[in-house]
Amino acid sequence: KQKAVYLEKLWKLQKSLEHGNKQRRDGDEESGVAEARQKERHMNQVYPQYVPISGERYTEVETDFLTFLTACNGHFPFQFLNEVNEQQQLACLTLLAKEFVTYRNRTHTVTLLFSYLHTMRSMKDIGEACKFIQ
């Protein structure tokens, strides 16, 4: 039920951005039907549940927060956080921080490995390359 509320809010935010916060005219029946159909398709669209890369297990609210951020491209975190209590807000932001640190560490490690690989590939002497590996 809570996910439906978040998706409904996400829908409203996306529509307000698409229309530049302009409201449609009340007498326009045809566009109202088209908008209702579009909304129904959007609400039925499945956003994949975020899977934390930090390897820990988290509550549904915490992973829903990151799923919501993914769905809205990170633009509206407070729309979600306003709907949960203070303890859940702290847990959601803690998970976001842990995920960021894990992502940064992985990216740094991969960058370092590619740097070492590039250095080894540019070596012309096999003995020098063997010493570099050790």
Side-chain angles (χ1 to χ4, degrees):
K1 182 179 178 180
Q2 200 172 23
K3 280 186 183 180
V5 171
Y6 299 139
L7 289 175
E8 177 73 25
K9 286 189 176 216
L10 181 60
W11 165 259
K12 288 177 183 175
L13 287 169
Q14 287 177 340
K15 290 311 291 178
S16 68
L17 288 174
E18 287 173 10
H19 294 295
N21 293 326
K22 294 178 186 173
Q23 294 183 354
R24 67 174 179 82
R25 294 189 318 250
D26 290 333
D28 194 354
E29 270 310 301
E30 191 172 307
S31 68
V33 171
E35 185 175 341
R37 285 186 188 142
Q38 185 181 9
K39 179 179 178 180
E40 185 177 334
R41 280 193 302 273
H42 178 78
M43 295 302 286
N44 291 331
Q45 181 182 12
V46 178
Y47 289 103
Q49 183 72 22
Y50 183 85
V51 178
I53 61 172
S54 57
E56 299 178 32
R57 296 185 62 73
Y58 296 97
T59 65
E60 188 175 354
V61 172
E62 295 165 346
T63 53
D64 283 349
F65 174 61
L66 294 183
T67 302
F68 183 82
L69 285 181
T70 302
C72 68
N73 295 320
H75 292 290
F76 308 106
F78 298 109
Q79 294 292 338
F80 184 96
L81 293 173
N82 286 336
E83 301 296 322
V84 296
N85 65 40
E86 198 171 307
Q87 185 178 14
Q88 290 172 324
Q89 290 174 356
L90 179 62
C92 290
L93 293 174
T94 300
L95 172 58
L96 179 62
K98 285 181 181 179
E99 291 293 291
F100 178 75
V101 168
T102 302
Y103 174 77
R104 190 255 176 230
N105 288 342
R106 285 184 181 184
T107 303
H108 179 70
T109 301
V110 169
T111 303
L112 215 62
L113 289 172
F114 276 113
S115 166
Y116 291 149
L117 178 63
H118 179 68
T119 302
M120 273 183 31
R121 290 181 72 197
S122 64
M123 293 179 178
K124 301 199 188 280
D125 182 31
I126 191 73
E128 186 183 347
C130 289
K131 286 180 185 178
F132 182 79
I133 292 173
Q134 294 174 355

